[in-house]
Amino acid sequence: MKTKPTLLELLRKQPEMYLRDLPETIRIPALDGNRPDEVVRRLEDATIDDVAFAIQGMESETRVIHRRLSGLRELYEMARKRGALGVTTVADAFANISTEEAGK
């Protein structure tokens, strides 16, 4: 006997490219004064506002990740410009960094 596909399975089969990656659940961040704790809700049970709040929360997380990624890229490039090799530690690469250089 064939089981009826879930709503999420049907959505994932839609032609829109990113729908296939929809999560089972979404995390709705806490809202000051309105909701003290974050909520995890099955996608099928979420309201459209819940989806909007989950998007905002993920965008905030993404900004933090992008800043960290950019910082690491910059650190890597600076170390290579200073002559660091792949086995050089960050501490060794910047052992002689000057206060003036650090403040740029």
Side-chain angles (χ1 to χ4, degrees):
M1 179 180 220
K2 197 173 189 180
T3 61
K4 183 179 175 186
T6 67
L7 174 61
L8 192 54
E9 289 169 337
L10 292 171
L11 287 170
R12 286 177 177 159
K13 290 180 181 177
Q14 295 300 305
E16 287 78 7
M17 186 165 82
Y18 295 111
L19 288 183
R20 66 176 168 237
D21 295 317
L22 285 172
E24 295 281 331
T25 60
I26 59 172
R27 187 179 58 80
I28 303 138
L31 293 172
D32 291 334
N34 293 327
R35 187 177 48 241
D37 298 317
E38 83 173 20
V39 174
V40 176
R41 188 164 286 140
R42 284 177 4 117
L43 185 60
E44 295 155 341
D45 298 332
T47 67
I48 299 306
D49 277 349
D50 289 339
V51 173
F53 292 132
I55 290 167
Q56 289 175 353
M58 291 177 81
E59 285 173 340
S60 293
E61 291 173 12
T62 301
R63 281 191 295 274
V64 170
I65 290 169
H66 280 283
R67 284 194 302 269
R68 288 181 188 157
L69 177 60
S70 295
L72 287 172
R73 277 193 181 126
E74 197 167 317
L75 178 72
Y76 171 80
E77 290 170 9
M78 287 173 61
R80 287 296 190 177
K81 287 177 184 175
R82 295 170 71 85
L85 302 174
V87 296
T88 306
T89 66
V90 172
D92 287 342
F94 295 95
N96 63 349
I97 193 168
S98 66
T99 308
E100 187 177 299
E101 192 177 7
K104 283 185 183 177

